[in-house]
């Protein structure tokens, strides 16, 4: 029973810390940014899942020329982590030849909700 209480306290502390951290970023807007991207190479899904895992919002779309375009928004440090993942790691079985990022800008609040695939 003591172990269960410790786990609960850890989960509660982590949740409260995350909530306070995100609300401070959202209210000040100082750490939030948005960036557009285009990924070249043999690219498969998973960008949406990675974005959600990082707690970001955005969208992705496959293009007719075989690239993936999208936008990601959130705390700058997490957006930067996503940029590294998009340009160097990617999903299993993908081969990224190039990643272009543009229109990076500071935003006062998130402009999107969730992470979606556009068609």
């Amino acid at each position: 029973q003591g172990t269960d209480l410790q786990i609960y306290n850890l989960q509660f502390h982590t949740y409260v810390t995350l909530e306070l951290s995100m609300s401070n970023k959202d209210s000040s807007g100082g750490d939030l940014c948005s960036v557009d991207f285009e990924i070249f190479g043999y690219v498969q899904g998973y960008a949406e899942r990675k974005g959600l895992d990082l707690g970001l919002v955005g969208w992705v779309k496959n293009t007719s020329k075989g690239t993936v375009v999208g936008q990601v928004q959130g705390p700058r440090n997490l957006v930067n982590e996503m940029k590294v993942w998009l340009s160097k790691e990617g999903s299993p079985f993908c081969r990224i030849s190039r990643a272009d990022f543009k229109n990076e800008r500071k935003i006062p609040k998130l402009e999107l909700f969730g992470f979606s695939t556009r068609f």
Side-chain angles (χ1 to χ4, degrees), residues 70-85:
Q71 184 179 87
V72 62
Q73 297 180 351
R76 185 171 303 279
N77 64 323
L78 297 177
V79 168
N80 287 337
E81 189 175 331
M82 182 71 166
K83 286 169 63 176
V84 169
W85 185 85

Side-chain angles (χ1 to χ4, degrees), residues 56-119:
L56 300 171
V57 299
W59 58 270
V60 293
K61 178 180 179 179
N62 294 320
T63 69
S64 59
K65 59 183 181 178
T67 65
V68 174
V69 296
Q71 184 179 87
V72 62
Q73 297 180 351
R76 185 171 303 279
N77 64 323
L78 297 177
V79 168
N80 287 337
E81 189 175 331
M82 182 71 166
K83 286 169 63 176
V84 169
W85 185 85
L86 285 168
S87 61
K88 302 200 181 311
E89 294 180 43
S91 61
F93 310 113
C94 75
R95 292 184 301 281
I96 300 166
S97 60
R98 188 173 96 227
D100 291 344
F101 299 96
K102 60 184 178 181
N103 301 324
E104 187 162 346
R105 61 192 168 87
K106 183 177 173 179
I107 55 175
K109 63 179 184 171
L110 297 176
E111 302 164 336
L112 303 168
F113 180 79
F115 215 104
S116 63
T117 301
R118 294 185 177 177
F119 300 97

